[in-house]
Amino acid sequence: MNTKKIIQAAISTLLISLSLAGVARAADISSQAGVISVTANQRTLTQVMMKNYLLSALGVRARKADEALQQAAQQFTVQQQQLSGVAAADLQAQVASMSQNWQQVRQQYQRKANKQNFNELYSANNALLRQADLLLDKALQTKADGSAQPLTLVGQQELLCQQLVVIYAMTAWGVASATDLSYDTISADLRTNMAELQGLPQNTAEINAQLQQLSTSLEQALSVAKARPGALLPALVDRSVVKVIMQLEQLQSAYLSLADA
């Protein structure tokens, strides 16, 4: 095995390890802030699965995309199980409804990518996303203090970043007519949320430094996505988004630490 292949194998192993670490973290929901963080992540995972389904269909790092889709599905299932065990009584019905719908959506994700069946999958995945939205709304109603806002904003940023890749991948595969998402709408929402995060009164000096780095990375990612409007560059957009996602996860940890203090 040459040096290049060794490096590629090491990176692949690291990515799988990070994904499995994410599954393990999902099982640790020890506070209401943790519940909010996980319910927000449920929304993001619907887009992570859709993104990797599309990348696999396009043949863009297909093997890694298949692995990432399986890992996201596993993480979604683990989080559902944990939420059903710790969520407040008024959330239980919503979690149960999501779990039932998830079983059907997961079966669709296990099928080979097919344009003829895509609209059905996309519609079912969006229904799952709407259920996750409702679950998050209910979770927020039980946590009215200021610690909920930053976690919600960070979760929304992660969702929007994944959706940015989704619209490029849908365009590349020729199925963009199934969505009303657009670069302009997503980029405007990302910038609005960024400004809200930077203005939060509970931000520490360390968090403000993280936010500054995040803002720079976000603008770089949006520049890549806008460089050639309509260009079929989902892999390039995805790579630029990965850095933003990693910084958002670090920021989420910082806000969770504040909430638990």
Side-chain angles (χ1 to χ4, degrees), residues 104-157:
Q104 299 174 357
V105 175
R106 186 169 192 173
Q107 289 177 3
Q108 291 178 281
Y109 271 123
Q110 291 170 342
R111 300 172 187 167
K112 186 176 181 179
N114 187 323
K115 286 185 180 180
Q116 293 182 340
N117 298 328
F118 179 74
N119 283 352
E120 179 185 357
L121 170 61
Y122 190 76
S123 177
N125 196 68
N126 273 358
L128 192 65
L129 174 58
R130 289 192 295 272
Q131 285 184 308
D133 283 335
L134 289 174
L135 181 61
L136 179 59
D137 287 343
K138 288 181 179 294
L140 289 171
Q141 291 171 13
T142 66
K143 179 80 173 174
D145 62 35
S147 65
Q149 185 181 13
L151 294 172
T152 305
L153 286 169
V154 170
Q156 183 68 10
Q157 292 295 78

Side-chain angles (χ1 to χ4, degrees), residues 11-242:
I11 292 174
S12 179
T13 301
L14 175 61
L15 290 173
I16 292 173
S17 298
L18 289 173
S19 297
L20 292 176
V23 172
R25 286 195 301 272
D28 183 18
I29 309 177
S30 57
S31 66
Q32 188 58 31
V35 170
I36 290 172
S37 178
V38 169
T39 54
N41 190 235
Q42 289 269 281
R43 300 187 309 166
T44 300
L45 285 172
T46 65
Q47 304 309 296
V48 173
M49 289 184 284
M50 178 57 63
K51 175 190 75 175
N52 285 294
Y53 175 91
L54 289 163
L55 291 177
S56 178
L58 289 166
V60 177
R61 304 192 304 271
R63 182 180 60 82
K64 290 183 180 180
D66 289 339
E67 290 176 354
L69 173 55
Q70 293 174 5
Q71 290 159 0
Q74 179 186 3
Q75 185 172 359
F76 194 96
T77 299
V78 169
Q79 289 180 346
Q80 283 281 296
Q81 293 170 346
Q82 293 300 313
L83 285 170
S84 66
V86 303
D90 57 344
L91 300 181
Q92 292 295 332
Q94 184 65 27
V95 173
S97 177
M98 275 189 70
S99 295
Q100 184 175 12
N101 190 27
W102 165 234
Q103 296 309 314
Q104 299 174 357
V105 175
R106 186 169 192 173
Q107 289 177 3
Q108 291 178 281
Y109 271 123
Q110 291 170 342
R111 300 172 187 167
K112 186 176 181 179
N114 187 323
K115 286 185 180 180
Q116 293 182 340
N117 298 328
F118 179 74
N119 283 352
E120 179 185 357
L121 170 61
Y122 190 76
S123 177
N125 196 68
N126 273 358
L128 192 65
L129 174 58
R130 289 192 295 272
Q131 285 184 308
D133 283 335
L134 289 174
L135 181 61
L136 179 59
D137 287 343
K138 288 181 179 294
L140 289 171
Q141 291 171 13
T142 66
K143 179 80 173 174
D145 62 35
S147 65
Q149 185 181 13
L151 294 172
T152 305
L153 286 169
V154 170
Q156 183 68 10
Q157 292 295 78
E158 291 184 344
L159 171 70
L160 290 167
C161 283
Q162 298 293 352
Q163 286 182 328
L164 190 64
V165 185
V166 167
I167 61 173
Y168 271 83
M170 290 180 70
T171 300
W173 204 35
V175 292
S177 60
T179 184
D180 57 0
L181 295 173
S182 71
Y183 168 85
D184 289 339
T185 299
I186 291 174
S187 60
D189 288 345
L190 282 166
R191 289 184 172 118
T192 297
N193 291 343
M194 192 72 241
E196 288 191 41
L197 281 167
Q198 290 174 317
L200 292 174
Q202 61 265 57
N203 290 346
T204 63
E206 180 181 356
I207 287 177
N208 281 329
Q210 288 180 287
L211 286 168
Q212 185 58 49
Q213 293 176 349
L214 174 62
S215 180
T216 300
S217 297
L218 178 60
E219 289 302 323
Q220 290 173 346
L222 291 175
S223 295
V224 169
K226 192 179 181 180
R228 294 173 58 190
L232 309 183
L233 300 172
L236 181 60
V237 176
D238 188 38
R239 284 197 294 271
S240 68
V241 161
V242 165

